[in-house]
């Protein structure tokens, strides 16, 4: 039994470094995970870099939708960089320790930048709405001064919620220093804290439901309006249905992974720690790998420039 003095010291001490033990139940097979994660990281980095280069270098791609796709590529390029290199070092060289400051910085970068994956899809939905339902005023709405009105609110929301979430997590004292994760996700860190974490739990849920879930609802409602408008106008906008369906599919898959990961910490379930970590990595990596392929291949203007770029590279290599 601990004396009252020892108990007081335990309750008022806090760990400032944490051991990332994600996938620890795989034992000696753990380093093999570096192969699929490295390949996904390579795919994400290469495809998003090419997409950014094409949109930045080709003036005919400087349209509102292509610029939004380019911004999505920037988000998808940056997001894996915040955690995949550390994961690979962890798997290959057993570099598992991270400081509390480093953990909070990584958490903020992942959650703040990740929030813009869904927010950019909202802006793309607005672009499609103005193009199809308000075509005569499209250029007026999409001018930077006017479009900024639609950007300020999501920017403020994303920043406020994520800063609050990270700040409250950083104020906790921690009684455990081993995290069943490969990077600093909010609830993975908070559940190591001493005492009641209901406030942290609440702000985490609010962030999950007021950013990706609210964005998904907005996108779904706006696309229902678009579909009704398209059906009334005949077949002239059938190509737009493909764009809308693509957005909804990408958003649905990402949101499903994210909500499963978030809720797995809060409700009784049979998920193993490794399954939870896998789902968490997928809701970040899956969109980053496949967004540039989906939007690059399915957008005619970008696809044409990509084919020209590939032919140019082939000619350069052959010479």
């Amino acid at each position: 039994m601990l004396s009252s003095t020892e108990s007081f010291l335990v309750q008022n001490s806090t760990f400032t470094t944490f051991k990332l033990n994600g996938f620890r139940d795989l034992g000696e097979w753990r380093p093999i995970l570096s192969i699929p994660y490295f390949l996904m990281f390579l795919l994400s980095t290469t495809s998003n870099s090419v997409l950014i280069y094409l949109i930045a270098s080709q003036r005919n791609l400087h349209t509102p939708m292509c610029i939004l796709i380019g911004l999505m590529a920037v988000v998808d390029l940056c997001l894996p960089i915040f955690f995949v290199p550390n994961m690979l070092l962890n798997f290959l060289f057993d570099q598992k320790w991270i400081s509390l400051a480093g953990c909070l910085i990584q958490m903020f970068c992942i959650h703040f930048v990740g929030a813009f994956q869904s927010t950019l899809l909202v802006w793309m939905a607005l672009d499609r709405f103005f193009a199809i339902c308000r075509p005569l005023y499209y250029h007026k709405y999409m001018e930077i001064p006017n479009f900024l009105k639609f950007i300020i609110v999501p920017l403020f929301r994303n920043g406020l919620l994520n800063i609050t979430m990270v700040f409250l997590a950083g104020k906790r004292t921690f009684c455990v220093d081993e995290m069943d994760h490969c990077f600093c996700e909010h609830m993975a860190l908070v559940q190591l804290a001493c005492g009641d974490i209901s406030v942290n739990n609440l702000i985490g849920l609010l962030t999950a439901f007021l950013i990706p879930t609210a964005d998904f609802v907005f996108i779904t409602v706006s696309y229902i309006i678009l579909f009704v408008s398209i059906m009334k106008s005949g077949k002239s906008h059938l190509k737009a249905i493909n764009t809308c369906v693509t957005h909804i599919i990408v958003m649905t898959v990402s949101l499903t992974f994210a909500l499963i990961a978030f809720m797995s910490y809060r409700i009784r379930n049979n998920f193993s720690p490794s399954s939870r970590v896998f789902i968490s990595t997928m809701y970040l990596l899956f969109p980053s790998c496949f967004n540039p392929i989906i939007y690059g291949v399915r957008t005619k203007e970008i696809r044409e420039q990509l084919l020209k770029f590939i032919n140019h590279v082939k000619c350069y290599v052959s010479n």
Side-chain angles (χ1 to χ4, degrees), residues 39-154:
L39 292 176
M40 292 184 74
F41 180 68
L42 186 63
L43 173 62
S44 170
T45 304
T46 304
S47 56
N48 283 297
S49 296
V50 170
L51 188 55
I52 293 168
Y53 169 77
L54 288 176
I55 293 173
S57 62
Q58 304 299 318
R59 292 184 61 84
N60 61 324
L61 295 181
H62 293 178
T63 62
M65 177 55 80
C66 288
I67 290 172
L68 288 172
I69 292 174
L71 290 174
M72 178 72 80
V74 172
V75 169
D76 291 335
L77 176 66
C78 293
L79 196 54
I81 293 174
F82 296 137
F83 71 98
V84 175
N86 286 341
M87 280 179 57
L88 298 179
L89 291 173
N90 189 331
F91 294 152
L92 294 173
F93 305 107
D94 221 30
Q95 294 188 16
K96 296 181 177 181
W97 292 94
I98 186 170
S99 67
L100 176 59
C103 192
L104 294 173
I105 291 171
Q106 185 185 56
M107 184 197 304
F108 176 76
C109 291
I110 289 172
H111 287 286
F112 182 70
V113 176
F116 283 97
Q117 286 182 326
S118 64
T119 303
L120 280 164
L121 288 174
V122 170
W123 296 341
M124 290 181 186
L126 283 171
D127 177 89
R128 293 300 84 197
F129 177 83
F130 293 143
I132 295 170
C133 299
R134 302 287 188 274
L136 296 178
Y137 301 97
Y138 175 75
H139 293 290
K140 175 185 175 183
Y141 284 124
M142 295 306 294
E143 288 178 352
I144 294 299
N146 290 326
F147 195 65
L148 281 175
K149 298 175 185 177
F150 303 103
I151 292 177
I152 290 173
V153 173

Side-chain angles (χ1 to χ4, degrees), residues 296-314:
V297 172
R298 292 178 67 91
T299 304
K300 180 182 177 182
E301 296 82 3
I302 296 176
R303 183 172 65 248
E304 290 174 351
Q305 293 300 324
L306 177 61
L307 292 174
K308 290 179 181 178
F309 175 76
I310 292 173
N311 290 330
H312 177 76
V313 172
K314 285 181 178 179

Side-chain angles (χ1 to χ4, degrees), residues 57-291:
S57 62
Q58 304 299 318
R59 292 184 61 84
N60 61 324
L61 295 181
H62 293 178
T63 62
M65 177 55 80
C66 288
I67 290 172
L68 288 172
I69 292 174
L71 290 174
M72 178 72 80
V74 172
V75 169
D76 291 335
L77 176 66
C78 293
L79 196 54
I81 293 174
F82 296 137
F83 71 98
V84 175
N86 286 341
M87 280 179 57
L88 298 179
L89 291 173
N90 189 331
F91 294 152
L92 294 173
F93 305 107
D94 221 30
Q95 294 188 16
K96 296 181 177 181
W97 292 94
I98 186 170
S99 67
L100 176 59
C103 192
L104 294 173
I105 291 171
Q106 185 185 56
M107 184 197 304
F108 176 76
C109 291
I110 289 172
H111 287 286
F112 182 70
V113 176
F116 283 97
Q117 286 182 326
S118 64
T119 303
L120 280 164
L121 288 174
V122 170
W123 296 341
M124 290 181 186
L126 283 171
D127 177 89
R128 293 300 84 197
F129 177 83
F130 293 143
I132 295 170
C133 299
R134 302 287 188 274
L136 296 178
Y137 301 97
Y138 175 75
H139 293 290
K140 175 185 175 183
Y141 284 124
M142 295 306 294
E143 288 178 352
I144 294 299
N146 290 326
F147 195 65
L148 281 175
K149 298 175 185 177
F150 303 103
I151 292 177
I152 290 173
V153 173
L155 281 175
F156 179 78
R157 176 201 62 180
N158 294 359
L160 178 63
L161 287 171
N162 282 290
I163 289 172
T164 302
M165 183 175 68
V166 174
F167 175 77
L168 291 176
K171 296 290 286 183
R172 304 292 316 194
T173 57
F174 298 94
C175 299
V176 183
D177 67 344
E178 291 195 15
M179 192 184 307
D180 282 326
H181 218 300
C182 291
F183 61 88
C184 287
E185 194 175 40
H186 176 247
M187 282 306 298
L189 174 65
V190 167
Q191 69 177 1
L192 307 181
C194 313
D196 182 29
I197 60 170
S198 56
V199 174
N200 302 85
N201 194 1
L202 177 61
I203 191 65
L205 282 174
L206 284 174
T207 302
F209 285 105
L210 291 179
I211 298 180
T213 308
D215 288 347
F216 180 77
V217 170
F218 179 88
I219 291 168
T220 303
V221 171
S222 65
Y223 282 166
I224 289 172
I225 297 172
L226 286 178
F227 291 154
V228 172
S229 176
I230 289 168
M231 295 307 173
K232 287 181 179 179
S233 64
K235 298 182 179 180
S236 59
H237 292 299
L238 282 180
K239 189 179 79 169
I241 293 180
N242 282 331
T243 304
C244 298
V245 170
T246 300
H247 290 176
I248 290 177
I249 290 173
V250 172
M251 187 71 178
T252 301
V253 173
S254 303
L255 183 62
T256 300
F257 277 128
L259 289 181
I260 290 174
F262 294 160
M263 298 308 296
S264 66
Y265 287 102
R266 296 171 171 88
I267 59 177
R268 191 182 299 276
N269 59 77
N270 295 322
F271 281 118
S272 66
S274 293
S275 299
R276 184 185 294 128
V277 174
F278 174 76
I279 292 170
S280 294
T281 57
M282 284 302 102
Y283 83 75
L284 296 174
L285 265 178
F286 179 84
S288 294
C289 288
F290 295 102
N291 278 348

